[in-house]
Structure formats: structure tokens, C-alpha cells
Amino acid sequence: NPYGDATSEEWKDIIVWNEFSPRFGLTYDLFGDGKTALKLSFNRYTEYLMLQYFSTLHPFYPRSFAFNWTDTNNDNYPNIGDTFVVRPTDYRVMDPEFSKKKLAPGTKSPVMDEFTAGIWHELFKNFSLGFNFIYKEKKNILEDVLYAPDTDEYWYHIDQAAAQKYWVPFTTTIPGTDNYPAETVTFYVRKNYPAAPEVFYRLNNVPELERKYWAFELIFNKRMSDGWQFGGSVVYCKAYGNIGSWYDQSWGWSGAGDNPNAFVNAYGRVNTDRPLQIKLFGTVQMPYRIFLSGFYQYQDGSPWERYVSIRPPTAWCTANNAYRDFYGVPIEKSGARRGRAWNELGIRLEKEFALGNFGRLGAYIDVDNLLGWSGVGVGLDDVYRWEPVAEGANQTGIKTPETSYKVLSSVSGTREAKVSLRFSF
């Protein structure tokens, strides 16, 4: 009874990680004149044991149980005569002993392997130039995935033998909208219980999940001399894989890797990918010790792709003993589209005045977003749900548009000027 009383004994040593974290570095004076340095390094960073990893393992972790309601008499209120069907789930997860199956034995700490190679050279006095190559790869990614505790089988990836037994492929074409083309996609529909196990997720190192990054970085720096300084960097990079890099994809219990549909169109540019990034800074000393400083940033827009929830037709589900529900799936490759680029220039004009033995008075004028970059938040995804009448490409069906499509939700980007005084003593 998920709503009754229960007790749980203490569970010691829930997760124990003992990992080796090597760091190696080499710097070599290439020509022996102290002006050109070759630098190499390899580092492995182990992940700290977050509370979120094991708190969710507790049998009494706050959870909800969902059901599908069919309003039989169409009065918009739940009544005894209506149909209520509990969505597939394994209630044994609340049993203290059985819940231990939610953790795969022998899990390892996620690790980040990082390799860097670079060369730095002093072109002339007070000015140096550097070029770096960086490669990073996340390994042992922890995620919750579909697991059959009674048969000790994983069935979250279609290449697994169990998944091929418990999931049925379904191909359909989602009609286009405006300038968006029609897209044909194959996703997977779960079989009904007991033809497929009840839904149960286990935390495990998932080998099918990948998160990688490489970058070429140009860095230059003119140190403050002769009344001016200037520096910055230009980065060309790629962040890719089949799991994003924001926090909600990094805490172990996200939707990444949950089932075969999580891998459909999943491999590509991830959500933190910004191929081109530029940073520039500088300061000039003007007459009367007035200083003008500036800081400029540019980065490409964030990647995104169209996403839809698809429900297969009743007749097809009956014929295939499949569970009829809406299945969310990207209909384009991850990162197929990209938002607008962002840039900002901020400047400061400053002057300090000596007040004898009393101290110093500083006057500052700051202008943020001098170039006036502005942007709007508007819904770009066009389709919310798609219900085809039959299996196969180019079939008709009911298409429900996304309510936020073309809807303006926010405006950002303001030019701001500030005047400040500071007295120091």
C-alpha cells in the first residue's frame, strides 16, 4: 500500500567510490631562449558524491503515482463512473529491501578526462601569443535506466535483447509547419504488462551515454606598459554527445537514457555548445591620468531541435499488444537548429583625485551593452502532439500545435549607464 505506514532500517555504505585521479603536466622551453614554451597535460577529475545521487534511492523519497482519467460522461469532473487506469509502475520500489535494486552494484564515480596541448611564444616585449588544443570526455555517466528486477535485464536501449522483446518500432511522418519541413521518425512503443515488465528504473553507469568536447583556443596578451594593455581569446569548439551538460542532465535521475526513445536523434550538438566565442579587454591611459577600459564578449546562439509527443492509433496498439500513450521524441537531430548569437560591450571611464592627507576620490562612468544588443524570447517549436491514424510514413492524423509557437514571452537587452563616486582613505 503506497499510502500506508512503513519503516526502513538503516542502509550503510550505499555508494562507495574509491577512484584514482592522476594529473600530469609538462612544460618545455622549445628553443632554450625562454621565449617559447610547449605545454602538455593530462588530468582526470573524479566527480564528488552528490546528495542527489543517493537521496532518490530511499524507499520513502517523495514520489507520485500517475493515472490516466477518461471523462466518460464528458462533464469535466472525475466521477465514479469514469475510467481511471494507473500508469505502469512497480510499487515494490517503496519496499525497503526491494528498493535496493534501484542501485546497480559496483557503480563507479563519473570521471572527466582532459587532455591539453599548447604552445606559447613571446613575440615582442610585453606581448605573448598562445595556441591551445583541449579535449574532454565524460565517462561512467550515472543515470537511471529501465531495468527488469525479476529477470535481471536492462531494456532501455534498442540494441539490448530485452529491449527488442519489450518495445515495438513505429514509423510516422509529422507534417511540416510554415517553413518547417515534414519529418519522418521511428520511435518505440512499450508493450503492455505482462508482455513487458512494469516500469522500474535503476541507477547505473550507462555506457551508451556520451558527452565530449574539443576546442582550439587562441590567446593573446599585451601587458600594461607604455600606457595601454590589450588581451583576449578566440575559441572555436564543439560540445557533442547524446546527453546535455546543464544540471538537469547531470544529477543522475533525468530523462536522459531512460528508454529507447531517449536515444532517437539524440547524438549531436548538446545544449551548452557555442562553436565560436570571443573575449576582448583593454585599457588606455589618457591625459590627466584618465583611464578608458573596455570588455567585449561574443558567443554563438544555443542549439535546439523540434520535439513532439506522438500517440500511436488504438487499432495498431491492440494488434501489437502495445501500451497506448504519448511518447516524446525529438524529430530532428540534436542541435539541428541554433538561436541568435549574443554579444556585449561594456566600457568604463575613470579618474581619481588626490585629497591630500584626507584620501582619494574616484569618479567612474560605466556603460553596459554599449552596442545595444537586444533579443526576444519567442516560441519556435511548432508542434505539441501528433496522433497518426495508422503506422507508416505520410499517414494522416491529428496535429496539435504548440501553444507557445510564435508567441512572444520575453524581451532582453538594455543599454545602461552608471555614474559612481568612491572615497577611499
Side-chain angles (χ1 to χ4, degrees):
N1 179 9
Y3 304 103
D5 295 333
T7 59
S8 177
E9 299 296 328
E10 181 182 12
W11 183 9
K12 294 183 178 180
D13 299 328
I14 301 175
I15 299 177
V16 178
W17 288 342
N18 294 304
E19 297 291 340
F20 181 56
S21 182
R23 316 283 173 91
F24 300 102
L26 170 68
T27 300
Y28 180 68
D29 186 351
L30 200 57
F31 301 112
D33 57 2
K35 292 187 176 183
T36 305
L38 179 66
K39 298 183 178 182
L40 302 171
S41 70
F42 173 81
N43 303 285
R44 167 165 286 188
Y45 304 100
T46 57
E47 193 164 290
Y48 65 92
L49 185 55
M50 295 191 296
L51 177 65
Q52 291 90 330
Y53 279 146
F54 62 85
S55 64
T56 313
L57 295 170
H58 198 285
F60 307 146
Y61 182 84
R63 66 186 79 249
S64 61
F65 300 99
F67 59 87
N68 292 334
W69 162 45
T70 303
D71 189 13
T72 306
N73 59 6
N74 295 315
D75 65 349
N76 295 321
Y77 291 95
N79 300 299
I80 294 178
D82 293 341
T83 302
F84 301 90
V85 179
V86 177
R87 296 176 64 86
T89 189
D90 198 328
Y91 289 97
R92 294 177 296 176
V93 71
M94 297 189 70
D95 176 78
E97 280 304 311
F98 188 83
S99 68
K100 293 180 180 180
K101 294 179 180 291
K102 293 186 64 175
L103 175 63
T107 58
K108 298 180 180 180
S109 166
V111 297
M112 176 71 77
D113 285 344
E114 177 188 79
F115 171 78
T116 63
I119 185 168
W120 284 79
H121 179 68
E122 185 183 35
L123 287 181
F124 49 84
K125 185 179 179 181
N126 296 321
F127 183 84
S128 60
L129 186 68
F131 182 79
N132 293 325
F133 171 74
I134 305 167
Y135 177 79
K136 298 182 180 183
E137 182 177 355
K138 190 71 175 284
K139 297 180 179 179
N140 300 338
I141 296 176
L142 268 179
E143 267 297 334
D144 63 323
V145 291
L146 281 174
Y147 172 73
D150 296 323
T151 57
D152 190 27
E153 295 176 303
Y154 287 101
W155 54 297
Y156 61 86
H157 195 282
I158 201 60
D159 289 343
Q160 296 163 336
Q164 294 173 13
K165 294 187 298 182
Y166 303 145
W167 295 90
V168 185
F170 186 98
T171 300
T172 186
T173 300
I174 297 88
T177 305
D178 298 331
N179 293 326
Y180 292 142
E183 296 287 351
T184 299
V185 65
T186 297
F187 68 102
Y188 302 92
V189 183
R190 187 176 69 247
K191 288 188 176 181
N192 284 313
Y193 177 81
E198 292 181 304
V199 174
F200 182 93
Y201 293 102
R202 172 181 257 196
L203 188 67
N204 192 21
N205 299 115
V206 183
E208 293 84 1
L209 291 178
E210 297 182 18
R211 183 185 294 146
K212 300 178 180 180
Y213 171 86
W214 58 255
F216 293 99
E217 180 184 40
L218 176 67
I219 305 173
F220 45 91
N221 183 39
K222 159 63 173 63
R223 288 178 291 186
M224 188 66 177
S225 62
D226 302 321
W228 67 285
Q229 66 175 357
F230 180 69
S233 64
V234 179
V235 177
Y236 178 70
C237 61
K238 180 180 180 180
Y240 58 106
N242 55 15
I243 179 172
S245 300
W246 295 130
Y247 170 76
D248 54 353
Q249 292 112 6
S250 302
W251 74 294
W253 300 91
S254 74
D258 275 6
N259 56 63
N261 293 317
F263 294 93
V264 174
N265 285 326
Y267 202 90
R269 303 268 184 162
V270 301
N271 47 21
T272 54
D273 180 65
R274 306 292 187 272
L276 180 62
Q277 301 173 56
I278 301 173
K279 292 183 179 181
L280 304 172
F281 67 89
T283 301
V284 176
Q285 181 178 343
M286 303 170 68
Y288 306 104
R289 290 191 59 81
I290 298 174
F291 291 88
L292 175 64
S293 301
F295 184 70
Y296 174 79
Q297 298 180 81
Y298 168 91
Q299 66 178 20
D300 283 338
S302 58
W304 69 280
E305 63 282 337
R306 295 162 69 204
Y307 187 92
V308 66
S309 293
I310 309 172
R311 184 164 68 173
T314 302
W316 182 91
C317 288
T318 301
N320 290 274
N321 191 23
Y323 180 68
R324 188 168 188 256
D325 197 5
F326 283 99
Y327 295 84
V329 61
I331 59 176
E332 297 175 327
K333 183 180 178 181
S334 177
R337 302 176 183 274
R338 191 171 296 276
R340 182 168 170 243
W342 169 85
N343 71 88
E344 182 173 340
L345 172 63
I347 64 170
R348 163 174 280 199
L349 193 64
E350 57 183 292
K351 168 67 178 174
E352 283 195 347
F353 302 91
L355 301 179
N357 295 329
F358 294 100
R360 303 182 68 84
L361 179 66
Y364 309 90
I365 300 176
D366 294 289
V367 180
D368 296 328
N369 193 23
L370 180 65
L371 300 179
W373 182 92
S374 62
V376 295
V378 61
L380 298 175
D381 207 346
D382 59 310
V383 58
Y384 173 50
R385 285 177 171 175
W386 168 242
E387 300 178 70
V389 298
E391 197 270 344
N394 301 313
Q395 296 284 346
T396 60
I398 301 174
K399 177 182 175 181
T400 304
E402 181 65 65
T403 56
S404 62
Y405 181 52
K406 292 185 176 181
V407 175
L408 182 68
S409 60
S410 64
V411 177
S412 59
T414 57
R415 186 183 288 111
E416 185 179 62
K418 296 179 289 186
V419 178
S420 307
L421 295 176
R422 183 177 66 189
F423 176 67
S424 57
F425 57 92

